[in-house]
Amino acid sequence: MNKLTSKHRKLAYVIAIIILLIPVIWLGMPSTGEEGSGGELAKLRVKHELGESTLGDVDPSSASMNFVLLGLRGIATNMLWLDAKEYQEKKEWAKLRSTVDSIILLQPHYMKVWDFQGWNLAYNVSAEWDAVEDRYFWVKEGIKFLNEGVTRNERFPELDWKVGNLHGQKVGRSDEWRLFRKFYKVDPDAERFEGGPDPEINPERLDNYQVAKEHFLIANEKELKHKQHLQMRMLFRASPWHAQFDYANAMQREGKFGKQRTDAWAKGFEDWTTIFGREEFITPKGPIVLEWTEDDIKDLAARDENITEADVRHWTNRYQDTSNYRFWRTRALSESEQDTIDAHKAIFDGEQAFREAKFDEAKDQLEKGMVLYAKVLNKYPSLMTEDLAIEEGLKAVILWRYIHELKGLPMPESFPLKPLWLKEQGRVPQLQNDLRRDLGVQ
């Protein structure tokens, strides 16, 4: 029989509570924000970057929402996703945007929310509008949405990469790319942005590919600390330098063949060979570098007695093939040569003359460009492995042949780029369709 009085039992309970509180406080005391403060769990959260504050900016309303819903958060999130899909199908864009904002309150650190909805706004929603200005508005909305995701999630280099990809590929490679690139520097809402770009998208008034490169560089910096799961590491880390190549190529597509365009290609070659080309990548047989010398081969093989120089060469070649490293090195190098510049310019001028129905001038310029382009391909045959290089030559031949048909001229048996034309016949139908759309060729 318990001989303790009620007073003694209460005292024992109090002592037991105090004793149990000691490990609770030791483990769970919150951090004050200073280094080393807080309990053991707080220190572990900081060490392994598991706390809310280490993931990115904290939204108090998001934390409150999750607290209020408790175990119903998953159900609420699923219902909101269904609502978002319904609003998109009904083209109720304002409701869609507000619903997406509600989803991120409940799933602020789920990367797929930011990834999918940013892409959805920039691609699917923008495609629903007729006016190019409206399409561009929704492309911006997708970029802004992903920008918010980046600030809320510092541990996902994939999100920075996605932002860069929207700036680069969506703005620079869409069917509306000419206007999108123009709007990128001079927003169609001229009154609001005073004849300049939207500062949330392009605060420094740069080319879209230059901004894309900046975001890819940030993604690469984060990738050194936080592993990405988007693509092969080597391809992920090549993105900034591809943005540089795209920047140079975009000027060429717009008919700009001056020093700025040539310097951009030269910068691309330098970065490709001295930065990306000198990075070490791990293969099943050890580390390799893409821009190697014989001394590099010997040094890499000497690090491990189980690795031979033949192993290093084999895996270097495989990784060069995977990243198309040799092609882009050759392409960037060739673009600084005058024959290459003149070939691009003649083909571009031929296309412009065709647009203006100046067929004799177009024929002369295209023939000049084809002769020079054949000379470039003969000097750098590896360029014939890349779609962009092949397509430029094929389009020139297609237009040149069409002018002969239009004017009733006999087709010469021999012509520049004929070997390329015969070899790549499988590409011709699609390129003809592209020219019909772009230039009005029937």
Side-chain angles (χ1 to χ4, degrees), residues 178-243:
R178 287 183 176 86
L179 285 175
F180 278 2
R181 278 177 53 80
K182 176 184 175 182
F183 294 159
Y184 195 81
K185 294 182 179 179
V186 181
D187 198 275
D189 192 346
E191 182 177 351
R192 180 182 177 188
F193 299 114
E194 301 178 348
D198 185 337
E200 290 187 61
I201 301 299
N202 186 15
E204 302 297 325
R205 298 174 179 246
L206 300 174
D207 186 274
N208 65 290
Y209 286 115
Q210 291 175 302
V211 178
K213 181 180 179 180
E214 291 180 352
H215 285 284
F216 288 141
L217 287 171
I218 293 171
N220 276 5
E221 188 65 27
K222 289 184 178 180
E223 190 269 344
L224 295 175
K225 188 176 182 181
H226 304 293
K227 188 175 181 180
Q228 58 86 24
H229 302 87
L230 186 64
Q231 56 188 234
M232 183 180 181
R233 184 171 186 266
M234 177 179 59
L235 302 181
F236 185 92
R237 295 194 65 79
S239 298
W241 326 125
H242 281 299

Side-chain angles (χ1 to χ4, degrees), residues 173 175 177-178 351 354-355 387-388 391-392 394-395 398-399 427-442:
R173 301 297 295 183
D175 290 341
W177 67 269
R178 287 183 176 86
E351 290 183 1
F354 186 93
R355 291 176 188 273
D387 289 350
L388 289 175
E391 289 174 3
E392 183 177 9
L394 290 178
K395 285 183 177 180
I398 291 171
L399 277 181
R427 299 175 183 266
V428 171
Q430 182 58 50
L431 292 175
Q432 287 175 328
N433 290 333
D434 293 342
L435 284 171
R436 289 190 186 101
R437 182 186 68 244
D438 191 36
L439 297 176
V441 175
Q442 298 301 318

Side-chain angles (χ1 to χ4, degrees), residues 401-414:
R401 290 171 64 90
Y402 180 74
I403 292 172
H404 278 74
E405 294 174 7
L406 192 67
K407 296 178 70 66
L409 299 174
M411 197 70 64
E413 181 65 25
S414 178

